[in-house]
Amino acid sequence: MEMQLLPFDSPLWEIHTGAYGNVCPEIKLLMGAAPVTSQNKLRRLDFEEKDDEQIAFDNLCESLSHQMSFYSAQYLALPYIVKLLEQKKAADNFQWQLNILSQAGVILATDLPETHETCNMEPAAEEITASHQAAILRLRELAQEFVLNNLEQLSRQDDHILTYFLTGLLAIMGESSFANILCMSCWEECYLLCPDCDFCDEDHAMTDSEMQRQITPASAPTWDGHSFDDPLCWLTGLLDKLDNQPAKELILYFYGTYTCPECGRQAPLLDFAKYYLLEA
């Protein structure tokens, strides 16, 4: 099925809502279907000077990913977000594309089975979820093109912007659980829970020497510079091209093998982290 844009007069906008209710008004403004009006920021700690279009987009994304919770409005909104990305690509607007891909990825990082269990939502019709999947595939194509065509500009971004983008990119490429973990930890911590003995580690940062002693870091494969099939391969390869060795080393620990200090269980560190996420 192809990606479909839900009509603005559909009653589904009132059924599938975000954290702050119906997200259709922001989408209409972004699509040019409603006049641009003065927007109030939902993210009150965002002190950056922005125009009303940017604020409307930020408000939409905040409503779709508030507190890293899943909201079924995502099913309706994502095709429009992809449409906006296509428009900004046609206009050759790097900063808008960077922002859309980053925030769309964070939205996708909320779309996990365990987050669905904690939200109250009406079941989405098959054609809506099919369109949502088509939007993800198109978003993936656009993301790969953006990365490969903008390596130099990406290398000039500060670390916070770059890691936020890479987190979103992971989710877009299908690694939503890992992206969720990185969003929650800001690339600094990784809460772990052992499924065998229930040992829980919520105290150590990933850069902590005691934590690192319990991890055998992964080896970085060689990236061909084009394929995005293996997340460890393309992510570490991309960090090489962006000359960000500290982030690369950290990723190798995230993808490493962890040894539980209580029972000795050895498994990929992300398995312990995903088990924590499941039980949290």
Side-chain angles (χ1 to χ4, degrees), residues 1-6 31 74-87 127-142:
M1 179 178 178
E2 294 185 358
M3 185 180 78
Q4 302 292 326
L5 301 177
L6 187 73
M31 291 293 105
Q74 179 185 144
Y75 292 134
L76 314 183
L78 191 65
Y80 280 102
I81 292 174
V82 173
K83 180 69 173 179
L84 181 66
L85 178 59
E86 290 175 334
Q87 293 173 353
E127 61 267 22
I128 295 173
T129 55
S131 177
H132 177 257
Q133 288 301 312
I136 292 174
L137 294 178
R138 178 58 179 153
L139 186 63
R140 196 167 292 170
E141 293 174 359
L142 293 167

Side-chain angles (χ1 to χ4, degrees), residues 110-160:
T110 69
D111 190 8
L112 306 173
E114 50 268 31
T115 56
H116 284 223
E117 292 174 3
T118 61
C119 70
N120 296 317
M121 57 176 266
E122 293 286 337
E126 183 177 348
E127 61 267 22
I128 295 173
T129 55
S131 177
H132 177 257
Q133 288 301 312
I136 292 174
L137 294 178
R138 178 58 179 153
L139 186 63
R140 196 167 292 170
E141 293 174 359
L142 293 167
Q144 292 181 26
E145 292 175 15
F146 177 79
V147 169
L148 298 178
N149 292 334
N150 293 281
L151 285 171
E152 183 178 349
Q153 284 181 278
L154 285 169
S155 70
R156 296 198 295 266
Q157 304 303 306
D158 67 38
D159 287 347
H160 173 73

Side-chain angles (χ1 to χ4, degrees), residues 208-270:
D208 186 273
S209 59
E210 182 176 346
M211 168 71 89
Q212 291 188 353
R213 280 195 296 271
Q214 296 163 7
I215 305 169
T216 302
S219 299
T222 301
W223 186 41
D224 64 7
H226 299 283
S227 172
F228 286 82
D229 294 333
D230 180 349
L232 175 60
C233 185
W234 68 255
L235 182 54
T236 54
L238 182 54
L239 286 166
D240 270 337
K241 289 183 178 294
L242 299 175
D243 196 24
N244 193 328
Q245 292 307 304
K248 176 185 175 180
E249 291 175 7
L250 190 59
I251 289 299
L252 292 176
Y253 275 102
F254 272 109
Y255 275 102
T257 299
Y258 178 75
T259 301
C260 174
E262 290 292 326
C263 70
R265 175 188 174 94
Q266 290 187 325
L269 178 137
L270 289 176

Side-chain angles (χ1 to χ4, degrees), residues 20-64:
Y20 300 92
N22 191 329
V23 300
C24 189
E26 287 82 10
I27 291 175
K28 289 176 69 175
L29 185 151
L30 292 167
M31 291 293 105
V36 177
T37 56
S38 180
Q39 301 288 302
N40 294 317
K41 291 181 178 180
L42 291 175
R43 296 171 178 170
R44 301 192 181 280
L45 296 180
D46 180 3
F47 301 112
E48 183 181 345
E49 192 70 26
K50 297 180 178 180
D51 62 28
D52 289 320
E53 183 186 24
Q54 292 171 313
I55 295 172
F57 180 69
D58 285 353
N59 287 350
L60 171 64
C61 295
E62 172 63 17
S63 192
L64 294 174

